[in-house]
Amino acid sequence: MIKFLHTRIRVADLDQTVNFYEKLGFTLKDRKDSPAGNKLAFLELDGNEHFLELCYSPDYEVKVPEDLMHTAVGVEDIVSYCDRLENEGIEIWPDGWREKFTSGERKMAFVTDPDGYEVEILER
């Protein structure tokens, strides 16, 4: 059997991005330098085998085109999760997400990390 192990993204500020993903519920598991000299951080969500690898290199300019790609997380109570994120200063979009959730539409929201990568939030 083949397993999907991790996803790597380039970041402009490793500490800032680690802090952002920790607010989403990720746990920093390890930090190290790669053989190529990049600074790496490895983040996990409890109960998941797949992890997120953040990669910082001082000579790499991070420019994430809009809607290039996104990751997704599933939460049990999207309203309380998004409320917690807003209290941490993270902007939830689209605007009016609370009203959409009460009208019976699919409960889905997004946040954008410091480099422009989108994170989809789904109620499961």
Side-chain angles (χ1 to χ4, degrees), residues 18-43:
V18 166
N19 181 266
F20 175 86
Y21 281 97
E22 286 178 331
K23 289 177 182 176
L24 295 186
F26 285 78
T27 302
L28 177 64
K29 293 297 186 177
D30 194 15
R31 284 181 89 134
K32 62 183 172 185
D33 293 340
S34 75
N38 297 316
K39 304 284 184 199
L40 306 174
F42 303 90
L43 299 139

Side-chain angles (χ1 to χ4, degrees), residues 79 82-84 86 94-103:
V79 173
C82 289
D83 280 340
R84 183 178 62 75
E86 278 191 333
D95 290 337
W97 60 269
R98 282 184 181 84
E99 292 77 24
K100 290 181 180 185
F101 292 169
T102 59
S103 69

Side-chain angles (χ1 to χ4, degrees), residues 16-85:
Q16 179 184 31
T17 306
V18 166
N19 181 266
F20 175 86
Y21 281 97
E22 286 178 331
K23 289 177 182 176
L24 295 186
F26 285 78
T27 302
L28 177 64
K29 293 297 186 177
D30 194 15
R31 284 181 89 134
K32 62 183 172 185
D33 293 340
S34 75
N38 297 316
K39 304 284 184 199
L40 306 174
F42 303 90
L43 299 139
E44 293 179 344
L45 285 170
D46 287 342
N48 291 263
E49 291 185 32
H50 187 91
F51 64 90
L52 181 61
E53 176 183 336
L54 305 179
C55 177
Y56 168 76
S57 176
D59 55 352
Y60 185 89
E61 184 180 355
V62 177
K63 287 186 179 180
V64 179
E66 185 177 337
D67 205 25
L68 171 69
M69 55 89 62
H70 74 265
T71 55
V73 296
V75 299
E76 291 188 25
D77 182 349
I78 195 168
V79 173
S80 66
Y81 182 79
C82 289
D83 280 340
R84 183 178 62 75
L85 294 182

